[in-house]
Every structure is written in C-alpha cells, then in structure tokens.
C-alpha cells in the first residue's frame, strides 16, 4: 500500500497536482480556469483541489500561472 514512501491516496494527490501544473503550461489552456484544469486532472471539486494543493505546495493555487491582465495589452 505504499509507493515512494506515501500511502496511495497521497501519491494520487501528488500525481494530480503535478498534472494540473503540467497542463496549466500548455498553450491551449492559457485561458482555462484553475478549477477546469483541476477537474481535467481528476479532482472532484474545486474546493478539494484548493485544499489539497495548499496542503502539498504550501501556497494558493492561484499562484500556479499568472493570467493575462490589461497591463499586458
């Protein structure tokens, strides 16, 4: 029941977080919301993703990828 020193649910959470971070960098996802990316990676809800992300990364997922602002135009 352990993989890489983690229990399976923890390993899955780490895997899904890494997947959100990976797909957030893809050009086709530059306008996708964090919640949408989280669902694509297998998180059941936005709330669950935010809770797990903060627990694993120690920061809010809003810091994942800066979204374009009017200043960039």
């Amino acid at each position: 029941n352990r993989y890489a020193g983690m229990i399976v649910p923890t390993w899955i959470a780490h895997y899904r977080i890494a997947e959100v971070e990976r797909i957030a960098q893809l050009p086709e996802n530059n306008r996708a919301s964090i919640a949408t990316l989280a669902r694509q990676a297998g998180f059941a809800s936005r709330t669950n993703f935010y809770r797990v992300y903060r627990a694993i990364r120690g920061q809010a997922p809003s810091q994942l990828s800066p979204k374009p602002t009017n200043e960039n135009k």
Side-chain angles (χ1 to χ4, degrees), residues 16-25 32-35 37-38 43 49-50 53 57 59-67:
R16 288 178 176 169
I17 292 292
E19 180 64 4
V20 171
E21 292 170 336
R22 185 190 72 78
I23 64 177
Q25 301 306 312
S33 71
I34 293 172
L37 300 176
F43 284 94
F49 168 69
Y50 273 61
Y53 191 91
R57 294 292 187 244
Q59 64 182 19
S62 58
Q63 298 172 8
L64 248 178
S65 170
K67 296 295 181 192

Side-chain angles (χ1 to χ4, degrees), residues 5-55:
M6 294 180 238
I7 61 172
V8 174
T10 303
W11 180 82
I12 291 170
H14 279 264
Y15 180 85
R16 288 178 176 169
I17 292 292
E19 180 64 4
V20 171
E21 292 170 336
R22 185 190 72 78
I23 64 177
Q25 301 306 312
L26 298 175
E28 61 267 26
N29 291 327
N30 68 345
R31 292 184 178 255
S33 71
I34 293 172
T36 298
L37 300 176
R39 281 190 299 276
Q40 289 176 359
F43 284 94
S45 71
R46 178 186 162 277
T47 303
N48 185 44
F49 168 69
Y50 273 61
R51 181 183 54 78
V52 171
Y53 191 91
R54 185 175 293 278

Side-chain angles (χ1 to χ4, degrees), residues 67-73:
K67 296 295 181 192
T69 64
N70 290 335
E71 296 171 19
N72 294 341
K73 290 184 177 182

